[in-house]
Amino acid sequence: MSKYLNADNQQHHYETIIKSTYKKHINYINTMRSYANEYQSVIQDNVNFPAEKLGKAMQLYEQGKFQLNDPVSKFVPELKDVKVLNANGQLEDQDAPMTMHQLLTHTAGLSYGFAAQVDLVDQAYMGADIWAAKDLDEFAQRVAKLPLKFQPGSRYHYSIAVDITGLVVQRLSGQSFDVYLRENIFEPL
């Protein structure tokens, strides 16, 4: 569909989709926050839902802190030279740098490592022990050593994009991730 839209209309189209998704996520967050308040003894204070990462990013987008076509490496330079593992098992350069739009729509080429039994990229994710990182900065450093599953923008794959988005939010806001969440998502609710 995007090939039928000129650049201005395409940007507006993407913004509309992301804003619509953002509103749905805010409703989801409100529902989860209500649930958390009702069952406070069961849910810990530091719980964060992946949808909240999109919400935080969209706040910063609305403030003009980033554009959808900005390369992710502008905010996470660790990811600038990440290679793609192609279908032949060879590492190749990215055709174009991954963008914030791709990060927010899970089309950046990242993964979670869930299919390590059958996928070479997911095996690398499991071997890198990314979840043992002490913070989001170390997380990005570990991810930077891993190949992308496909060329950015070429297809959808749910991934650690939400975690990298959290790091972008942290770096753009100048606040630690948990403080930004508390002050800009939870307290206003």
Side-chain angles (χ1 to χ4, degrees):
M1 178 176 173
S2 62
K3 69 181 180 180
Y4 300 109
L5 300 172
N6 66 31
D8 291 336
N9 286 341
Q10 186 175 1
Q11 182 73 12
H12 176 72
H13 175 73
Y14 290 145
E15 289 175 9
T16 301
I17 289 171
I18 290 175
K19 285 179 181 178
S20 171
T21 303
Y22 172 64
K23 288 176 184 173
K24 289 176 185 172
H25 286 307
I26 291 299
N27 289 337
Y28 171 77
I29 291 166
N30 287 339
T31 301
M32 291 297 103
R33 185 54 44 209
S34 173
Y35 177 82
N37 287 337
E38 186 175 342
Y39 297 97
Q40 205 166 18
S41 61
V42 178
I43 298 178
Q44 300 173 5
D45 289 339
N46 64 352
V47 168
N48 84 60
F49 304 101
E52 292 166 347
K53 292 178 180 150
L54 176 62
K56 294 178 302 214
M58 290 311 298
Q59 286 178 340
L60 295 170
Y61 172 78
E62 290 168 352
Q63 294 168 14
K65 303 270 184 169
F66 73 89
Q67 296 300 308
L68 295 175
N69 61 350
D70 282 342
V72 173
S73 61
K74 180 176 180 179
F75 314 108
V76 187
E78 296 93 329
L79 301 182
K80 184 175 193 244
D81 296 319
V82 173
K83 303 288 186 196
V84 178
L85 187 67
N86 68 23
N88 299 322
Q90 303 292 319
L91 291 175
E92 62 185 21
D93 291 336
Q94 296 176 44
D95 291 341
M98 82 173 66
T99 65
M100 288 300 297
H101 173 258
Q102 293 161 345
L103 191 68
L104 293 169
T105 58
H106 293 281
T107 60
L110 299 166
S111 190
Y112 256 122
F114 292 148
Q117 303 83 350
V118 296
D119 184 273
L120 293 174
V121 172
D122 284 3
Q123 287 174 17
Y125 271 70
M126 294 305 289
D129 200 17
I130 58 176
W131 304 112
K134 70 179 187 305
D135 57 26
L136 289 171
D137 292 307
E138 183 182 324
F139 183 83
Q141 291 166 5
R142 290 179 185 222
V143 170
K145 297 175 185 170
L146 302 171
L148 296 177
K149 202 172 189 70
F150 50 84
Q151 286 290 341
S154 65
R155 64 182 207 217
Y156 171 88
H157 184 75
Y158 190 71
S159 69
I160 60 167
V162 292
D163 302 282
I164 299 299
T165 300
L167 177 59
V168 171
V169 168
Q170 182 173 284
R171 289 181 177 177
L172 285 176
S173 70
Q175 294 180 295
S176 68
F177 190 69
D178 60 327
V179 169
Y180 189 89
L181 269 178
R182 185 174 57 250
E183 291 181 3
N184 295 279
I185 301 291
F186 298 127
E187 287 177 357
L189 295 176

